Amino acid sequence: MAIAKAERLMNLALCLLGTRRPLSKRELRESVEAYLEAGSDDAFNRMFERDKDDLRELGLVIETVESLDGEIGYLARRDSNRLPPITLDAEEAAALGLAAKVWQQARLAGAASGALQKLRAAGLPEDVDPYEAHGALEPRIPVHEAAFEPLMLACRDRRPVVFDYRKANAAQPEPRHVEPWALECWRGHWYLAGFDRDRGAERVFRLSRITGKVRSRGARFTAPVPDVVTVRETVASWAGETADRSALIRLRTGAGYPLRAKATGVRELGDGWDELEVPYGHGLDAWLVEFGPDVVVLEPAELRADVVDRLRAVAKG
């Protein structure tokens, strides 16, 4: 069975690399002998999707192209899958080794190790060990969200996705149709930047608020991908990091330590309450809601109204 699958993957890869135009599923089924043995269309579709994912995991760049009549085709361009000569010195190899070790606790560990093996096959000197020379460094990036891997692959392959997303002030998630651009980790949380088709604008999504599965869509991007995607700057501005105003709040004594760390002024009021002056920027209302009854907004009035609206929305949910 393993030999048959390996042969099937090789034949599919040769078909995709050998064509000058996108091939439809029907054409691929007629070209790969193993697919002709599939008992039904459903069985073939499942087999083909698994094989396509396996080839992508092995590093083959497979493009999904939609024709003018709406038919989906696939091809692997030779220029996109040709590895140029590799010349790395010891420091560059060490940097790659660090990058690979970052993902040791994630499902990408196998892909990272496989990438280093490909570099060796492409000419990385045998006497250079990417894992050496940095034994005291143990980099880690936590990846707990199930949405990370499918979104990473969608960003790489430029494939639109659909997922259910729950906003901070919403009781129920709602579907979002997104063209994913980039993933970035900021202060221990992963964020996706992309083009939200429903809203016709760029949006940033926190992965921990994605519920259910991420579904891919075989279509082209409708919006141009910017050369630089400023995920951290966008999230920072939403979190009030670029605030140019101040808000006055009451905070229960012994609570809200993150707020206290950001406060530019603190005054004890007695009776179990303190008065804090905190930077006020976009997204502060959503953050204050997370502290529930321990926070009361005094001013400005618009911030107080926003917090009250969010609390009412959660209560109704």
Side-chain angles (χ1 to χ4, degrees):
M1 182 64 67
I3 296 177
K5 181 177 181 180
E7 182 179 349
R8 189 174 73 238
L9 289 176
M10 179 63 72
N11 290 336
L12 176 59
L14 291 174
C15 284
L16 295 173
L17 287 167
T19 182
R20 295 186 177 181
R21 63 174 180 83
L23 297 176
S24 65
K25 283 188 178 182
R26 175 183 54 79
E27 292 173 314
L28 288 170
R29 186 176 185 180
E30 294 173 352
S31 302
V32 179
E33 183 178 358
Y35 289 154
L36 295 174
E37 301 175 359
S40 64
D41 290 341
D42 289 341
F44 160 69
N45 285 330
R46 290 194 298 270
M47 187 185 303
F48 172 73
E49 292 299 328
R50 286 196 300 268
D51 290 349
K52 180 158 57 71
D53 290 341
D54 288 343
L55 287 177
R56 280 175 168 154
E57 287 294 329
L58 291 171
L60 189 69
V61 180
I62 301 175
E63 296 184 26
T64 302
V65 181
E66 184 176 3
S67 64
L68 294 177
D69 57 2
E71 187 176 34
I72 303 299
Y74 306 89
L75 80 162
R77 302 185 192 277
R78 289 183 177 272
D79 55 352
S80 300
N81 290 280
R82 183 181 294 114
L83 191 65
I86 301 296
T87 302
L88 298 174
D89 58 28
E91 291 183 355
E92 291 170 332
L96 289 172
L98 280 175
K101 292 189 71 175
V102 163
W103 304 108
Q104 280 188 352
Q105 303 302 317
R107 290 184 61 186
L108 296 176
S113 299
L116 292 178
Q117 292 298 324
K118 291 178 184 178
L119 289 174
R120 287 202 179 281
L124 181 66
E126 288 294 333
D127 58 346
V128 175
D129 188 349
Y131 288 111
E132 292 295 334
H134 49 75
L137 296 175
E138 290 294 333
R140 291 289 186 271
I141 295 181
V143 180
H144 305 296
E145 295 86 355
F148 177 85
E149 187 169 358
L151 287 176
M152 182 201 67
L153 296 176
C155 289
R156 182 195 68 183
D157 300 333
R158 293 287 191 264
R159 287 182 284 117
V161 294
V162 179
F163 52 78
D164 294 331
Y165 188 76
R166 180 185 58 79
K167 296 192 294 185
N169 63 333
Q172 299 295 331
E174 59 181 14
R176 308 296 282 267
H177 299 76
V178 179
E179 298 173 11
W181 292 343
L183 286 163
E184 192 157 345
C185 187
W186 189 76
R187 296 194 173 180
H189 298 287
W190 279 97
Y191 295 88
L192 167 73
F195 181 76
D196 190 324
R197 288 181 170 179
D198 299 319
R199 288 150 184 81
E202 176 184 351
R203 289 292 186 269
V204 173
F205 305 91
R206 184 164 154 173
L207 265 61
S208 61
R209 291 178 181 157
I210 295 177
T211 63
K213 292 185 177 181
V214 175
R215 288 94 66 191
S216 298
R217 291 292 180 265
R220 294 179 180 178
F221 279 13
T222 59
V225 180
D227 294 332
V228 178
V229 182
T230 56
V231 181
R232 294 191 180 190
E233 289 80 355
T234 301
V235 177
S237 64
W238 286 8
E241 296 289 332
T242 56
D244 56 0
R245 295 176 290 169
S246 294
L248 200 62
I249 65 172
R250 290 178 61 193
L251 181 64
R252 199 182 302 275
T253 302
Y257 289 102
L259 285 172
R260 296 180 185 276
K262 286 183 173 294
T264 57
V266 180
R267 184 168 66 92
E268 293 184 7
L269 298 178
D271 297 329
W273 290 91
D274 298 325
E275 185 179 271
L276 278 67
E277 186 176 352
V278 296
Y280 175 27
H282 181 79
L284 180 60
D285 54 337
W287 194 33
L288 293 178
V289 168
E290 296 180 6
F291 296 94
D294 292 330
V295 169
V296 177
V297 179
L298 301 177
E299 57 183 52
E302 64 267 22
L303 176 61
R304 180 182 177 89
D306 290 340
V307 170
V308 170
D309 289 343
R310 286 179 177 272
L311 289 172
R312 285 175 177 168
V314 172
K316 288 180 180 179

